[in-house]
Amino acid sequence: MTRKLKFALLLALLTWLSAPVQAQQWKAHEETKTYPIAGSSGIELYSSIGERGPKAGQHVRAIAHTDFRLTWSRKYDPQPDGSCKLVSARPKLTITYLLPKPASPLPPELQKKWATFVDGVRRHELVHGEQIKAMVAEIERVSVGLTAASDPKCTKIRADLTLKLGEISRARQRASQDFDKVELGEGGNVHQLILNLVNER
């Protein structure tokens, strides 16, 4: 085996071994914010959520909300054959969870019910966070190594990538909406949390 072939095989092996590590180099920054609510009973707290919760439409307010900010550092590399290759794509992802929080201390029994309620809501929002992280990982997967032929100025590849990103984003939105339908529907986890909070038993 020639020295040149040995070097090529070694380089290929190192590239293969480093691929899983590269895919794990980024980590989402997650933060939790709260908005104030008021009430001295479960039904009052839930009514306050309805008045002060984040908007989920023109006339509807949600209990909680998960938002994110995503930016990318990408490197496009024109190839000798006139094509363009996206050789790296590093995301910077910040996920923000917005949850309700009573502005004043609650009586012990109500505080116990509230703790169960808000913990369940937080767990629901964390699923949305995981969906966002999965979306970013999928974007990274389809981005790195993407090539466009006859694209020496790396313009066509950007348009191709934009189409792929749109498909991935829409798939994440559908998954998020489907999850909410199950959780908020009758008998769903969030529906049960609401009933347990407002029930006076």
Side-chain angles (χ1 to χ4, degrees), residues 126-197:
L126 287 176
V127 173
H128 286 302
E130 290 302 314
Q131 291 175 330
I132 292 167
K133 287 185 247 182
M135 176 193 70
V136 175
E138 177 65 7
I139 291 174
E140 181 185 36
R141 186 189 70 80
V142 303
S143 297
V144 178
L146 183 66
T147 302
S150 302
D151 190 21
K153 294 185 178 180
C154 294
T155 54
K156 180 183 174 183
I157 193 172
R158 296 171 195 267
D160 292 346
L161 180 61
T162 298
L163 290 175
K164 291 180 180 293
L165 300 192
E167 294 172 359
I168 296 171
S169 178
R170 287 189 292 273
R172 196 276 308 176
Q173 290 173 350
R174 286 193 298 270
S176 178
Q177 291 167 356
D178 290 344
F179 176 64
D180 279 344
K181 283 181 182 178
V182 173
E183 290 275 290
L184 295 168
E186 188 168 353
N189 289 333
V190 175
H191 183 240
Q192 291 296 325
L193 289 169
I194 295 169
L195 293 178
N196 291 335
L197 176 65

Side-chain angles (χ1 to χ4, degrees), residues 107-128:
E109 283 301 314
L110 182 56
Q111 174 59 39
K112 189 175 180 180
K113 292 177 69 173
W114 174 258
T116 299
F117 172 80
V118 78
D119 183 62
V121 171
R122 180 184 63 83
R123 291 175 183 273
H124 171 90
E125 296 304 319
L126 287 176
V127 173
H128 286 302

Side-chain angles (χ1 to χ4, degrees), residues 56-116:
Q58 190 173 359
H59 305 292
V60 180
R61 290 187 180 270
I63 299 171
H65 182 61
T66 298
D67 198 6
F68 69 97
R69 184 174 186 275
L70 174 63
T71 58
W72 290 89
S73 295
R74 297 187 177 99
K75 182 180 179 182
Y76 297 91
D77 190 12
Q79 302 295 297
D81 63 358
S83 64
C84 181
K85 185 175 182 180
L86 179 50
V87 295
S88 68
R90 296 179 59 83
K92 183 178 180 182
L93 173 65
T94 299
I95 302 175
T96 303
Y97 305 103
L98 181 63
L99 301 173
K101 182 179 181 180
S104 303
L106 302 174
E109 283 301 314
L110 182 56
Q111 174 59 39
K112 189 175 180 180
K113 292 177 69 173
W114 174 258
T116 299

Side-chain angles (χ1 to χ4, degrees), residues 1-18:
M1 185 180 292
T2 66
R3 181 177 298 179
K4 183 179 292 187
L5 182 56
K6 286 182 179 179
F7 177 77
L9 289 174
L10 178 60
L11 183 62
L13 178 61
L14 289 174
T15 301
W16 178 77
L17 289 174
S18 65

